[in-house]
Amino acid sequence: ARVRWDERRIKLSDILGAVQAIGYRAYPYDAARSEQISQRERRSALWRLFVAGFGMMQVMMYAFPVYVADPGDMTADIELLMRWASLILTAPVVLYSAAPFFSHALRDVRLRRLGMDVPVALGIAITFVASSGATFSPDGVFGHEVYFDSLTMFVSFLLGARYLELGARHRAAEALERSLARLPETAWRVAV
């Protein structure tokens, strides 16, 4: 956003504080800093996507034999071992890769609004807790089914889509900046 203000009526710090109060960050325009923030944001998003994708592939590798095994083909201890491996591989996906969903959901709840990250974070948390409970105690209240494969796939696909959106948003902002740089400083009114 490009903001113009009258310094006699409002201070820049008040504007930045208002933007921060609704859950966003704002910086005075500096092309080098904007590019640095953009690169950091892309790098962080790519790392989160990599961890989620790697975790998803590994969890699927442990889930697939359970899906295709006929009753009696796999002993209970081997199936439990695969569940534990899936839990261990899913933990970084939930704690690191899905962290932005949780932080944005928390921001939305604090601001008393329901954004898309609130149901996503709830779904991730509930699925992880239920699957972990089923791993710790297959005969317990959470039942015996685990959904680590679905959870890691869900996070991976969402992060993949958000990474593509982030790239499109950055390209659009760069194109807008190039267009604005071509405009003259003052515009003249032409009478027709």
Side-chain angles (χ1 to χ4, degrees):
R2 183 175 283 215
V3 179
R4 291 191 178 143
W5 69 97
D6 183 354
E7 291 181 3
R8 295 171 297 194
R9 299 177 79 192
I10 189 167
K11 296 179 194 171
L12 176 60
S13 59
D14 293 338
I15 295 170
L16 296 177
V19 170
Q20 188 173 10
I22 60 171
Y24 295 96
R25 289 174 292 174
Y27 306 98
Y29 181 72
D30 177 5
R33 183 171 182 187
S34 292
E35 181 58 31
Q36 185 181 35
I37 291 168
S38 259
Q39 286 178 350
R40 194 173 355 153
E41 190 177 19
R42 282 192 298 261
R43 188 175 24 253
S44 175
L46 190 57
W47 270 110
R48 289 181 195 283
L49 177 59
F50 172 76
V51 169
F54 183 78
M56 175 191 68
M57 289 185 292
Q58 297 306 308
V59 169
M60 290 303 290
M61 182 178 71
Y62 287 112
F64 185 73
V66 177
Y67 288 147
V68 298
D70 290 325
D73 283 354
M74 189 178 297
T75 61
D77 59 334
I78 294 298
E79 187 174 346
L80 186 59
L81 178 66
M82 290 191 181
R83 286 176 182 222
W84 276 100
S86 294
L87 169 63
I88 291 167
L89 290 164
T90 301
V93 174
V94 171
L95 298 174
Y96 174 70
S97 294
F101 299 124
F102 293 113
S103 64
H104 295 157
L106 188 59
R107 175 196 67 200
D108 288 347
V109 168
R110 259 186 278 162
L111 295 171
R112 290 183 165 81
R113 66 179 184 204
L114 184 63
M116 191 62 208
D117 288 320
V118 173
V120 167
L122 279 173
I124 291 169
I126 291 168
T127 304
F128 186 71
V129 167
S131 296
S132 298
T135 300
F136 280 99
S137 177
D139 298 325
V141 67
F142 293 108
H144 65 281
E145 295 293 329
V146 295
Y147 303 99
F148 296 120
D149 53 336
S150 301
L151 173 61
T152 55
M153 192 178 304
F154 179 65
V155 171
S156 295
F157 288 157
L158 276 178
L159 287 174
R162 287 197 176 183
Y163 184 76
L164 293 174
E165 176 199 10
L166 178 68
R169 198 171 62 233
H170 284 275
R171 284 190 301 278
E174 289 167 4
L176 181 62
E177 284 297 321
R178 284 193 303 273
S179 297
L180 289 174
R182 291 184 195 131
L183 290 177
E185 282 298 315
T186 56
W188 296 94
R189 234 180 224 196
V190 178
V192 180

